[in-house]
Amino acid sequence: MRNLPPLRALHAFEAAARHGSFKAAAEELGVTPTAISHQIRLLEEICGRKLFQRRPRPLVLTSAGARLFPLLRNGFDLLAGSLAAVAEPDVEAPLRVTSPNAFASRWLVPRLPKWRESNPAVPLEIIGTDALLDLRAGAADVAIRYTRRPPVGFAAQEVCRDSFFPVCSPGLLASDGRAIERAAELLRYPLIHFDWMNRDPDAPTWRRWLATARSIDPDLIPDKAWDLSFREELHAIDAVVAGQGIAILSDVVVGRELESGSLVKAHPLSLPGYSFYVVWMQHNPRSAVMESFLAWMRSVL
């Protein structure tokens, strides 16, 4: 049995965090602000951490609250979507595809018109999330998983594998007026970092790239601090597109930008990435549709 806090406390916290107000949360849930405050204090006792900074106004999440809020929000959204999907007739049910956020936004979504052209009778529901949704529980029909090895216990087919390069806007290099010839020269520019949620020590990060580059350029400082750091990969990509610095990015995720020239590789040294797998439950009654989705993804690489 799962050891979970009371649903009322979770619901009260999510509503208060979303509105930034106990009063607005109380109006939404049909209770008093005092009741909202009581439920949140109960949740804080269970967590052992303060979730809101109550003074001064306006209401502000603590670091613990900021970590908890998106998880609860996404969880409630997933629950609502799952219940809605159950209520829909099976004939009209879309193929629900879960994908890492950055891949969904930069690779998958721009190619969706080609899916509609070739499969007009099969609507898609794209679930962009860096969380691993449970296919066994029916959270999605198909998952695009970004990993070194195929998931065990599923039908899993590799679509492609990526590499990571220092990537920036061409305008950033032009503004400096000097070409990058050595790895150490990248340190003239702001370095943009984003968190790797899987905590893989071998992930293709700036720290690993700088350590690798030092073998070919001894003048390079391997422990330079990041100038700009993001929790979300998408935000790091947006900062790079805006010309704010250089980030270590996937040549698959930003492949369209590299091809168009809106982004460029600042240095040719690369790090190996992972594989993108299309994954679904074995013996799924919609396996034929899922195999069509796999074939389509390979066709639009």
Side-chain angles (χ1 to χ4, degrees):
M1 183 174 180
R2 293 181 176 89
N3 184 20
L4 295 175
L7 182 58
R8 288 184 180 179
L10 296 175
H11 208 175
F13 168 76
E14 190 276 337
R18 176 161 37 85
H19 289 291
S21 164
F22 284 6
K23 181 179 179 182
E27 291 175 355
E28 175 182 314
L29 300 179
V31 297
T32 66
T34 300
I36 294 292
S37 178
H38 173 76
Q39 291 295 332
I40 289 174
R41 288 190 186 280
L42 173 61
L43 185 59
E44 289 175 330
E45 291 176 3
I46 294 171
C47 294
R49 300 286 298 276
K50 291 292 185 183
L51 301 176
F52 287 104
Q53 298 175 7
R54 292 174 173 79
R55 294 289 187 274
R57 294 183 180 180
L59 198 63
V60 176
L61 289 167
T62 63
S63 60
R67 291 196 301 271
L68 179 60
F69 171 55
L71 298 175
L72 276 182
R73 178 194 59 204
N74 294 344
F76 282 132
D77 287 346
L78 175 60
L79 179 59
S82 299
L83 291 173
V86 169
E88 292 175 354
D90 290 341
V91 175
E92 300 177 4
L95 185 67
R96 297 168 300 152
V97 181
T98 176
S99 164
N101 270 319
F103 184 83
S105 176
R106 294 282 173 171
W107 193 96
L108 184 57
V109 171
R111 291 169 169 80
L112 290 182
K114 294 184 178 180
W115 170 265
R116 290 194 295 272
E117 289 174 6
S118 58
N119 299 272
V122 184
L124 295 181
E125 178 184 333
I126 306 301
I127 308 170
T129 176
D130 292 327
L132 294 181
L133 300 190
D134 190 348
L135 297 183
R136 291 186 176 90
D141 301 310
V142 178
I144 299 171
R145 293 278 164 84
Y146 186 55
T147 181
R148 294 196 187 277
R149 291 172 291 276
V152 177
F154 298 91
Q157 295 289 327
E158 185 182 66
V159 176
C160 62
R161 182 178 292 269
D162 63 359
S163 296
F164 281 73
F165 293 83
V167 173
C168 66
S169 163
L172 181 71
L173 302 183
S175 66
D176 186 83
R178 292 180 290 172
I180 293 177
E181 298 178 355
R182 299 173 53 199
E185 293 171 354
L186 267 69
L187 304 186
R188 299 198 305 256
Y189 302 93
L191 303 187
I192 297 174
H193 169 79
F194 63 89
D195 290 347
W196 277 81
M197 303 307 291
N198 64 2
R199 307 301 182 192
D200 182 354
D202 295 323
T205 61
W206 266 120
R207 180 172 286 108
R208 187 169 172 223
W209 190 93
L210 292 171
T212 302
R214 197 177 186 205
S215 65
I216 60 174
D217 190 347
D219 294 334
L220 189 144
I221 303 171
D223 295 323
K224 182 183 186 299
W226 324 129
D227 299 284
L228 192 57
S229 183
F230 294 94
R231 182 168 295 178
E232 298 288 342
E233 181 181 3
L234 273 175
H235 297 161
I237 295 172
D238 289 340
V240 170
V241 171
Q244 296 178 20
I246 305 175
I248 303 294
L249 298 178
S250 162
D251 62 353
V252 170
V253 173
V254 296
R256 295 172 73 249
E257 289 81 0
L258 290 171
E259 185 176 352
S260 70
S262 60
L263 292 179
V264 296
K265 296 174 182 176
H267 193 278
L269 178 64
S270 67
L271 295 175
Y274 301 78
S275 290
F276 292 92
Y277 289 92
V278 172
V279 179
W280 65 90
M281 291 293 297
Q282 296 173 340
H283 310 300
N284 189 297
R286 303 185 72 187
S287 290
V289 177
M290 297 167 191
E291 290 173 358
S292 296
F293 181 76
L294 167 65
W296 171 80
M297 283 192 65
R298 288 172 168 167
S299 73
V300 295
L301 283 172

